[in-house]
Amino acid sequence: MTIAQLAHFADPVLTPRLVVKVGSALLVGADGEPRRDWLAALVGELAAARGRGQDVIVVSSGAIALGARRLGLAKGGRGSLADAQAAAAVGQIALAGLWADLFAGYGATAAQLLLTLDDLEERRRWLNVTATLGTLLARGAVPVINENDTVATEEIRFGDNDRLAARVGQAAEASAVLLLSDIDGLYDRDPREAGARRIPVVRRVTPEIRAMATGGSSSGLGSGGMTSKLQAAEIAAMAGMALAIIDGRPEAPIGSALEAGAGTLFLARPRKAARKAWLGGKLRLRGSLHVDAGAARALGQGASLLAAGVVRVEGAFVRGDAIAVVGPAGDVLARGLSEYDAGECAALAGRHSRDHADILGYAPRSALIHRDQLVLV
Ligand code: GLU
């Protein structure tokens, strides 16, 4: 049995471990203060899930929105990176305190983790996060996670907690990710348009599905939006996790939405081996190799990527970096770790393996991307 409907998110057998992401607009009121009563009711629901035997991990936004008010910053603290960093430093204390207080009311210990993109992009650090989460959950704590906004600069930040939640779910080997939003799911067009319809189930995030996503955060308080939620859904699906978007605005929103099936459920794909799933969900790609139809076909059959089928090299990557493999139609076919620097790839592109030693002047590797370091998307 796999997760096939929203109600399964409340089932401890199908969903032994659940990530719940809470957006800024839900946590922080228009007055810049935390919405404590709403949050208390939500924590009641999360405590009930734990009571049913589910592990719960919270990914909480709201640091920037909460801190902005206290520092008197304009634009909710999002006017500049420096403002956002300062606001987060102030808001994160309040935010963590709130979660810790409310969970303590149910006898549960909250544990704060502040992560940057690299903590989850680098394999060694990823394994470290995985181990920490595992220990916390085994000891009965509730991890409460946010991006480490105070030190995260543009280049090293997730920027939105939707994708962070999906990556955290993957690191924790969760079964499902629940995004509480200020909208009850994905609509087939701009939800403000007449006749817009909610899509209850998405089997696969296709270009048609992506075209339905409009813009960034509608509240202006968070930085996500439907686009980042779809990216989160893709990461989740590839890691074998279901993901759902529900309307978080009602009091105690989870129970009623799951029961009524009110939301959008993105189905999981078959779970890949952990390392391949990590690779597939990596957010930072350093370049790409464009391949011809023959190479595209061979990849689909599980082969390594050989230089002979590469027609173009983009980016300034080095050996070991994650790169995309792009097919003749311009679509990303796979991701993998490059065996060579970009310059070497360019020198070898289109050339048969037997010529490689002469071109490079040293004993070559068998492929530009080895099949063990490659994941089809
Ligand atoms: N990490 C940001 C915060 O705590 C929120 C990011 C988002 O809105 O997704 O304020």
Side-chain angles (χ1 to χ4, degrees):
M1 268 268 279
T2 51
I3 296 173
Q5 58 191 65
L6 280 177
H8 291 161
F9 276 49
D11 180 332
V13 175
L14 291 173
T15 311
R17 188 166 285 178
L18 177 67
V19 176
V20 178
K21 181 259 176 177
V22 189
S24 300
L26 299 173
L27 276 156
V28 185
D31 58 359
E33 291 299 323
R35 296 177 61 223
R36 199 181 162 98
D37 291 346
W38 176 87
L39 191 56
L42 176 71
V43 170
E45 291 198 288
L46 299 179
R50 283 164 47 85
R52 287 194 297 271
Q54 294 180 286
D55 287 338
V56 171
I57 297 172
V58 173
V59 173
S60 173
S61 304
I64 296 173
L66 278 180
R69 160 79 176 214
R70 294 175 193 204
L71 290 178
L73 296 168
K75 295 187 184 164
R78 290 176 189 270
S80 69
L81 181 62
D83 280 4
Q85 291 181 317
V90 172
Q92 185 60 36
I93 294 182
L95 191 62
L98 214 52
W99 285 106
D101 272 1
L102 292 169
F103 273 116
Y106 292 91
T109 301
Q112 175 182 259
L113 274 83
L114 298 178
L115 301 175
T116 55
L117 182 66
D118 279 344
D119 291 325
L120 300 175
E121 293 284 284
E122 279 178 27
R123 185 76 185 154
R124 203 170 45 83
R125 285 158 75 177
W126 164 276
L127 293 172
N128 188 34
V129 173
T130 299
T132 306
L133 286 171
T135 306
L136 287 168
L137 291 166
R139 306 301 304 171
V142 184
V144 177
I145 301 175
N146 197 356
E147 179 155 21
N148 195 355
D149 294 301
T150 295
V151 297
T153 56
E154 291 303 353
E155 312 81 64
I156 62 157
R157 69 199 303 247
F158 278 93
D160 70 83
N161 277 2
D162 300 316
R163 292 179 305 162
L164 175 63
R167 283 297 256 172
V168 160
Q170 203 183 341
E173 296 189 347
S175 332
V177 178
L178 185 60
L179 304 179
L180 303 192
S181 181
D182 53 4
I183 183 157
D184 61 352
L186 172 71
Y187 278 73
D188 61 355
R189 68 199 83 166
D190 187 331
R192 287 165 298 201
E193 276 178 34
R197 291 185 30 202
R198 178 168 53 81
I199 313 276
V201 177
V202 175
R203 299 198 165 276
R204 181 114 192 207
V205 179
T206 57
E208 292 77 45
I209 294 287
R210 268 187 227 111
M212 294 174 189
T214 46
S217 163
S218 57
S219 65
L221 279 178
S223 50
M226 204 44 80
T227 307
S228 64
K229 289 180 177 50
L230 291 186
Q231 290 169 349
E234 288 185 88
I235 295 170
M238 208 165 352
M241 296 184 290
L243 179 142
I245 303 169
I246 62 166
D247 185 357
R249 289 170 302 180
E251 182 106 343
I254 298 179
S256 45
L258 295 187
E259 208 170 301
T264 297
L265 170 64
F266 297 82
L267 300 180
R269 286 159 57 186
R271 199 175 272 263
K272 291 184 165 51
R275 194 172 177 290
K276 287 224 174 183
W278 167 78
L279 186 56
K282 262 175 90 83
L283 299 172
R284 192 192 287 146
L285 300 179
R286 300 285 189 185
S288 50
L289 297 176
H290 292 251
V291 301
D292 61 20
R297 235 183 347 264
L299 287 180
Q301 290 159 2
S304 296
L305 177 63
L306 302 181
V310 173
V311 293
R312 193 152 53 86
V313 180
E314 273 172 17
F317 52 90
V318 298
R319 175 172 150 73
D321 277 346
I323 56 174
V325 181
V326 181
D331 46 333
V332 175
L333 305 174
R335 290 157 169 220
L337 301 182
S338 180
E339 294 285 342
Y340 289 106
D341 298 349
E344 293 165 318
C345 286
L348 300 178
R351 305 292 293 271
H352 196 277
S353 303
R354 65 175 168 259
D355 303 332
H356 290 187
D358 285 345
I359 298 169
L360 294 171
Y362 56 84
R365 301 179 188 280
S366 58
L368 297 195
I369 303 178
H370 191 272
R371 54 189 285 180
D372 291 348
Q373 313 291 351
L374 186 102
V375 57
L376 299 176
V377 297

